[in-house]
Amino acid sequence: MQRISTFAKEHLLDFASSQIPEVAKNTDPVFLYCQHDHVNQLVAGAIHDFSTRNDKPFLTVECRTVEIHLPGSPNLHTVKRDLNEVLRMVESGMGEWLMGGTVLLNHLAELTAPRQKELIDRLTRSLNCRILANMHNGRNRVATIEHTLPVEPATVLVVPPLRNHIKNIQFFVNYFLAKVNMEWGRNITGITSATMKRCMDYAWPGDLNELREVICQAAMLAKDGEELHESFLPLYLKEYNNDASSLRKAILTAEHKMIQQALQEASYNKKKAAAILNISRKTLYSKLRMYQEFAA
């Protein structure tokens, strides 16, 4: 895959909670936590695109079936091969194109600890791959999995929904537009401020998948050398009349009030406050950071 274009580097804004470009610079394993698998996969793809490995393959390994998925271009089918077969080919001198790539392990927590270690060892030693792990539904097993990783420390990214993070919407709008420019050979110069505001005001119930589809569809209507305009957006988004910013702020304000009450009740002991709220301490810290980012 080609390097992220100059357009992307000039237009991408700070990622509110994860700092994808910073994470991409190192080779540490990354655990991705999000409610939806497809979000983790898109974030993993962004980490790969910003890394120095982005001219190498980006693979997805389904841990339940031990099957490799190699994404093709938008006009090609995904390649599916059995991971053990591919590794045997590499060890016999074939498949050098896989070396040094990035591997996303889907549902790593579904495997036993010995199987996790075996899989990761083979990927890193045979292929010199960087490991990213989709930890959806596996949060309670993260401590066990961390001990199986051959490289430390690992980075943990909790990916929040788009609806509460305007900076993330800005980041991914420009990222997906940069991807379109690279993969489709286009030259769309940016996005108008009015169009970006439409995107920032929308609730995005379909999260990153929906945002990617909107940008790709809009890009099909745009001409090279011009920006994406509001007229290129789907009708439902242009007619979205809810004051999403006010609603978002009201929700965050109510939630923040509940957390402050819990903190006061727990004498500002965050562990006890998290127990009162029936959330993990990590989630509590994440929400407190989110309020700071929203207020900024």
Side-chain angles (χ1 to χ4, degrees):
M1 179 178 291
Q2 299 176 355
R3 298 279 300 177
I4 283 286
S5 65
T6 302
F7 167 86
K9 292 180 179 178
E10 291 177 350
H11 289 75
L12 290 177
L13 303 179
D14 288 339
F15 189 52
S17 60
S18 301
Q19 299 295 329
I20 283 179
E22 291 300 317
V23 171
K25 289 179 182 178
N26 61 53
T27 59
D28 295 345
V30 179
F31 296 126
L32 295 166
Y33 287 101
C34 184
Q35 183 178 357
H36 304 291
D37 285 349
H38 72 263
V39 172
N40 283 343
Q41 291 168 352
L42 290 172
V43 172
I47 292 172
H48 173 72
D49 285 343
F50 274 91
S51 75
T52 57
R53 298 170 180 255
N54 60 12
D55 59 338
K56 304 292 184 181
F58 173 71
L59 307 173
T60 298
V61 175
E62 296 294 341
C63 291
R64 291 167 177 156
T65 60
V66 199
E67 183 180 62
I68 274 185
H69 290 211
L70 177 62
S73 72
N75 299 318
L76 296 177
H77 293 293
T78 297
V79 176
K80 298 182 181 180
R81 296 296 296 268
D82 179 78
L83 175 62
N84 292 324
E85 177 189 357
V86 172
L87 289 174
R88 285 194 296 270
M89 291 169 61
V90 171
E91 290 166 356
S92 67
M94 301 174 63
E96 291 184 359
W97 60 276
L98 290 172
M99 295 291 184
T102 304
V103 175
L104 172 65
L105 299 175
N106 256 346
H107 303 103
L108 180 61
E110 297 295 324
L111 301 179
T112 63
R115 184 59 173 138
Q116 292 169 23
K117 189 176 190 310
E118 177 190 3
L119 179 58
I120 291 169
D121 283 349
R122 296 190 72 185
L123 287 170
T124 54
R125 293 175 183 176
S126 299
L127 298 173
N128 186 30
C129 290
R130 185 185 187 183
I131 300 298
L132 311 179
N134 177 0
M135 301 306 298
H136 177 54
N137 291 335
R139 179 183 295 272
N140 60 334
R141 298 178 67 178
V142 67
T144 301
I145 293 164
E146 283 180 339
H147 288 303
T148 72
L149 290 170
V151 180
E152 294 184 357
T155 301
V156 177
L157 299 184
V158 180
V159 185
L162 283 178
R163 62 181 178 271
N164 293 332
H165 290 76
I166 290 177
K167 289 184 179 180
N168 291 7
I169 295 173
Q170 294 173 313
F171 178 96
F172 280 105
V173 164
N174 288 304
Y175 169 67
F176 291 139
L177 187 53
K179 292 274 283 184
V180 165
N181 279 336
M182 287 189 299
E183 295 180 353
W184 296 1
R186 301 296 307 279
N187 181 30
I188 300 169
T189 59
I191 181 169
T192 67
S193 57
T195 309
M196 180 66 84
K197 186 178 186 306
R198 284 284 187 186
C199 292
M200 289 161 56
D201 286 346
Y202 184 61
W204 298 109
D207 218 293
L208 282 183
N209 257 4
E210 183 181 10
L211 178 58
R212 181 181 60 174
E213 289 300 315
V214 165
I215 296 304
C216 288
Q217 291 172 20
M220 291 177 66
L221 301 175
K223 296 179 180 179
D224 284 344
E226 72 175 2
E227 295 180 308
L228 291 186
H229 294 274
E230 283 185 272
S231 59
F232 303 148
L233 297 176
L235 184 62
Y236 74 85
L237 202 155
K238 288 187 289 187
E239 293 183 347
Y240 185 74
N241 293 320
N242 289 340
D243 187 348
S245 296
S246 296
L247 178 60
R248 185 184 299 113
K249 188 171 182 178
I251 293 171
L252 288 176
T253 299
E255 186 179 58
H256 189 213
K257 184 177 179 180
M258 289 180 60
I259 288 178
Q260 289 300 317
Q261 290 174 345
L263 285 169
Q264 291 176 6
E265 183 178 341
S267 299
Y268 293 91
N269 182 310
K270 292 185 175 62
K271 182 177 181 179
K272 292 180 180 178
I276 293 172
L277 295 164
N278 197 28
I279 59 177
S280 70
R281 186 165 48 175
K282 185 181 294 184
T283 299
L284 177 59
Y285 280 115
S286 177
K287 287 184 177 294
L288 291 173
R289 285 195 301 271
M290 179 182 67
Y291 302 135
Q292 293 174 348
E293 292 163 1
F294 189 85

